[in-house]
Amino acid sequence: MKIVISLGGIFFADAAHIKTVAEVLEELAESHSIYVVTGGGQPAREYIKIARELGANETVCDYIGIAATRLNAQLLISALRNAYPEPLTDYKEVAEATVKGEECIPVIGGVSPGYTTDAVAAILAEYVNAELLLSVTSVDGVYEADPRVHPEAKKYDRISVKELLSIVMQAELKAGSRIIIDPVAAKMIERSGIKTIVIDGSREPRAILDAVIGKHSGTEIIRER
Ligand code: UTP
């Protein structure tokens, strides 16, 4: 199966986390074609905050976030034995890399201002005709509102892409904003119809392996309810 895995920035906090997730990805790559997208995490937000204080506009801040995602891509590549040696920067490069190095895992960070690596993963999933898009974060699924701000918010086991859109379209699309799935990603999931699952992999990265075989306690995004 072709699987695109979007890893939130939380995975890149230290070497131990990166090593563990790299082992899981290598195991998965033994039986599937995988494509990995890396988020920017806290360093991205810190750099964006400083840039904003210096008067940088949102596009400049987005470029700073993209740079952070690529640093994390490089860290993950350092931990993988069979990764394409450079972080990829464009969807076509990913396709070329997988043709050149048959068994290698392509790793890509951000691509373009105006969205997050959720959207990169969703666009890539459509481009390579993936059968599954896994968004692996530190939140255990999609909630009706951000559970870090609204602890009483209800979590969805399954959510239609239309409902998801009505939640995420209310969010601000500022550089570094924390949103479970960004609006561009949600629209891409709507148009491609690719099966998408949001899971928390931050405590146990092996949850990624379970999610691939349908065992998860996250949220599945479905076309219609
Ligand atoms: P992330 O993809 O890491 O944001 O991109 P996120 O998903 O909200 O955060 P984590 O990693 O899961 O915690 C960080 C920032 O980089 C810019 C955006 O400003 C984004 O908020 N970015 C990233 C882009 O502008 N374009 C991209 O393709 C990727």
Side-chain angles (χ1 to χ4, degrees):
M1 176 157 65
K2 270 188 191 172
I3 308 168
V4 173
I5 300 155
S6 175
L7 294 175
I10 190 86
F11 287 99
F12 305 96
D14 56 52
H17 273 87
I18 300 171
K19 245 181 158 167
T20 312
V21 82
E23 281 163 13
V24 168
L25 295 173
E26 279 169 355
E27 193 174 327
L28 197 60
E30 284 170 15
S31 35
H32 300 280
S33 297
I34 66 166
Y35 303 75
V36 184
V37 183
T38 54
Q42 197 53 25
R45 279 187 282 276
E46 279 167 21
Y47 269 89
I48 287 168
K49 181 170 172 283
I50 294 171
R52 205 176 271 133
E53 282 168 14
L54 294 171
N57 65 39
E58 289 304 304
T59 299
V60 172
C61 290
D62 278 343
Y63 276 119
I64 287 170
I66 291 169
T69 65
R70 289 180 181 162
L71 287 173
N72 284 339
Q74 191 77 70
L75 287 178
L76 181 62
I77 289 167
S78 306
L80 286 165
R81 276 167 302 173
N82 53 345
Y84 193 77
E86 290 295 321
L88 298 157
T89 56
D90 175 71
Y91 308 103
K92 287 190 174 173
E93 273 183 16
V94 174
E96 281 163 17
T98 43
V99 171
K100 276 187 214 151
E102 277 167 19
E103 297 302 320
C104 75
I105 301 174
V107 183
I108 184 169
V111 172
S112 166
Y115 49 68
T116 75
T117 48
D118 298 334
V120 172
I123 295 167
L124 182 61
E126 181 176 78
Y127 187 55
V128 302
N129 294 314
E131 287 137 281
L132 177 64
L133 169 56
L134 263 189
S135 176
V136 193
T137 74
S138 55
V139 180
D140 62 348
V142 178
Y143 284 74
E144 59 188 352
D146 186 342
R148 289 166 293 211
V149 185
H150 305 278
E152 74 295 343
K154 177 185 129 202
K155 187 188 131 198
Y156 295 93
D157 296 330
R158 283 154 72 81
I159 187 171
S160 74
V161 78
K162 288 224 162 13
E163 272 178 282
L164 177 70
L165 276 163
S166 73
I167 294 171
V168 300
M169 289 312 265
Q170 292 161 29
E172 255 191 332
L173 196 61
K174 285 183 102 174
S177 59
R178 303 185 78 159
I179 171 170
I180 187 79
I181 294 272
D182 80 57
V184 178
K187 287 301 283 182
M188 288 301 300
I189 293 165
E190 181 185 42
R191 101 170 180 187
S192 68
I194 289 169
K195 178 173 173 176
T196 303
I197 302 172
V198 180
I199 58 162
D200 176 5
S202 59
R203 276 162 296 179
E204 182 38 89
R206 294 188 73 79
I208 295 172
L209 301 172
D210 288 340
V212 168
I213 54 167
K215 285 200 277 176
H216 67 87
S217 51
T219 301
E220 182 172 342
I221 300 164
I222 49 171
R223 251 191 163 161
E224 285 308 344
R225 179 160 275 186

